[in-house]
Amino acid sequence: MCYSTSATPVCNAAKTGCTTGTLYSAAVSVSNATNLRAIACKSGNNDSSVKTVTYSMSQTYGTLSASVTPTSATLGATCIDSVNTTMDAALPAAIRDNFKCQTAYVNGANNVFKSVNMPNHVSFYYCSLISAGACAVDKRNATLWAALPSGNTSAGTNTIFVQNLEFTIPATPTLKTGTLTGTQNGYVAVGVTVNGLAIFNNAAAPPDTLAAEAATFDGFDGHPQNAGVYHHHAGVRKVGASGTDNNDANLIGIALDGYLIYGKKCDNATATTADDITLTASTGTSDGSAAGITGASATTLDQLHGHTTTTRHLGTATYHYHMALDPTATIDTLLGSYFRGVAGTITN
């Protein structure tokens, strides 16, 4: 018998092996949702028809510790206490080995990420009440609160609240043709960082501009909106070089279309930083069509902050994004105005 989980099995002419698939010799292990195809063959007999059995895994992955509250959390080694990291073994290594403070698993053709969206670092916005632009001492989380960077002001009275974010992202991203999908189309978030935090687009809520709104970022370049969703438009200092910036080739997160997001440099497909490539950002804006995307090369980015090449996580040349100066925002942002790929979905 020949079997396969990825193609139609075919027996060889002598009926002693398989030209496509694997010759059955022992029990077949199935670890996630799988279509198992098999064909029986014996010398002197006609091959059987190909039989297909679909296996649906019963294992479920729940929301991460939704009871965590800013007033009771303490800073752990990698995530705040009570927020765990659960990574499905079936995930690609780029996700499995780099993402934390969230649950992620394979579900059919998608990778699902679930997060309570609690920053694993100190923030001015770990405060139960902000009034008159300040957080009173008795309202601060004693472990997680920190002052804003010099010159910055609070984002109104916004504070951090536990969320229930669920990203359903294509496991195999696909470049979109025709009209592109805007990152400003009312999404709860447009991606998730390696430390489990929401990524927002390259615009602020009107009438604000993102360049002005950047003055409300905490010391790790994030802030919450009015429903308490902490997020990053731009830098993610927690994953930057030495935790200070993103002028590096570090992996920052993944966009809702499945393409990875990196710092301002490209790593030249090596782990060493000595040969990292400094990229040139596009000065143009996208017209919203796939046909209008231009300019990308190994050293330059297109209007969506992306290009196609290998990285240390991508063994074959694959499209991916970089943090770059964005003409719409007029500051560095993680994404441009459109997704390059077919976007997944997000709920909260």
Side-chain angles (χ1 to χ4, degrees):
M1 182 180 78
C2 297
Y3 69 91
S4 176
T5 59
S6 60
T8 300
V10 178
C11 301
N12 64 16
K15 314 296 184 182
T16 57
C18 313
T19 56
T20 301
T22 303
L23 184 65
Y24 176 82
S25 60
V28 180
S29 176
V30 177
S31 61
N32 54 285
T34 301
N35 289 323
L36 180 65
R37 302 174 180 86
I39 185 172
C41 41
K42 183 179 179 180
S43 179
N45 293 274
N46 293 329
D47 296 348
S48 73
S49 59
V50 175
K51 300 296 184 182
T52 301
V53 177
T54 299
Y55 291 88
S56 298
M57 298 296 99
S58 60
Q59 184 177 14
T60 59
Y61 295 81
T63 302
L64 284 176
S65 306
S67 62
V68 172
T69 61
T71 54
S72 65
T74 56
L75 194 62
T78 58
C79 307
I80 64 169
D81 288 357
S82 301
V83 175
N84 302 313
T85 301
T86 305
M87 291 288 133
D88 185 350
L91 289 164
I95 295 171
R96 189 178 64 245
D97 297 342
N98 293 285
F99 283 62
K100 61 186 178 183
C101 309
Q102 58 198 296
T103 285
Y105 58 94
V106 177
N107 183 12
N110 298 297
N111 295 328
V112 178
F113 299 77
K114 293 184 177 183
S115 173
V116 292
N117 206 56
M118 301 292 282
N120 60 332
H121 55 71
V122 296
S123 173
F124 173 82
Y125 299 102
Y126 270 121
C127 174
S128 60
L129 178 66
I130 297 174
S131 58
C135 176
V137 173
D138 63 344
K139 302 299 182 182
R140 300 171 186 172
N141 178 289
T143 304
L144 297 173
W145 185 88
L148 286 168
S150 178
N152 282 17
T153 58
S154 69
T157 58
N158 298 352
T159 60
I160 296 169
F161 286 101
V162 172
Q163 305 298 318
N164 188 14
L165 301 181
E166 182 171 326
F167 301 82
T168 301
I169 297 177
T172 304
T174 304
L175 295 173
K176 199 172 189 299
T177 59
T179 302
L180 300 172
T181 302
T183 57
Q184 301 172 20
N185 283 11
Y187 288 100
V188 175
V190 296
V192 60
T193 68
V194 292
N195 55 332
L197 302 174
I199 294 172
F200 275 25
N201 58 39
N202 60 339
D208 292 347
T209 65
L210 191 55
E213 197 173 273
T216 67
F217 292 169
D218 64 16
F220 288 90
D221 290 333
H223 62 180
Q225 41 81 289
N226 57 7
V229 180
Y230 185 90
H231 59 276
H232 292 280
H233 296 272
V236 186
R237 291 178 184 263
K238 183 68 176 177
V239 300
S242 303
T244 58
D245 58 42
N246 293 108
N247 190 30
D248 54 42
N250 287 358
L251 181 62
I252 290 177
I254 188 169
L256 199 58
D257 60 4
Y259 290 116
L260 298 178
I261 305 170
Y262 290 89
K264 298 177 72 172
K265 295 181 179 179
C266 207
D267 63 24
N268 207 21
T270 68
T272 179
T273 61
D275 61 352
D276 287 356
I277 299 169
T278 298
L279 300 170
T280 301
S282 173
T283 58
T285 57
S286 171
D287 64 0
S289 71
I293 299 301
T294 61
S297 71
T299 59
T300 61
L301 301 175
D302 63 25
Q303 297 93 329
L304 309 183
H305 302 197
H307 66 164
T308 300
T309 186
T310 55
T311 74
R312 64 182 181 273
H313 305 112
L314 303 169
T316 58
T318 304
Y319 189 86
H320 55 274
Y321 300 104
H322 287 272
M323 179 175 166
L325 180 64
D326 186 86
T328 298
T330 69
I331 62 171
D332 292 334
T333 65
L334 300 178
L335 292 176
S337 299
Y338 298 91
F339 293 109
R340 185 62 186 90
V342 177
T345 60
I346 176 175
T347 60
N348 187 15

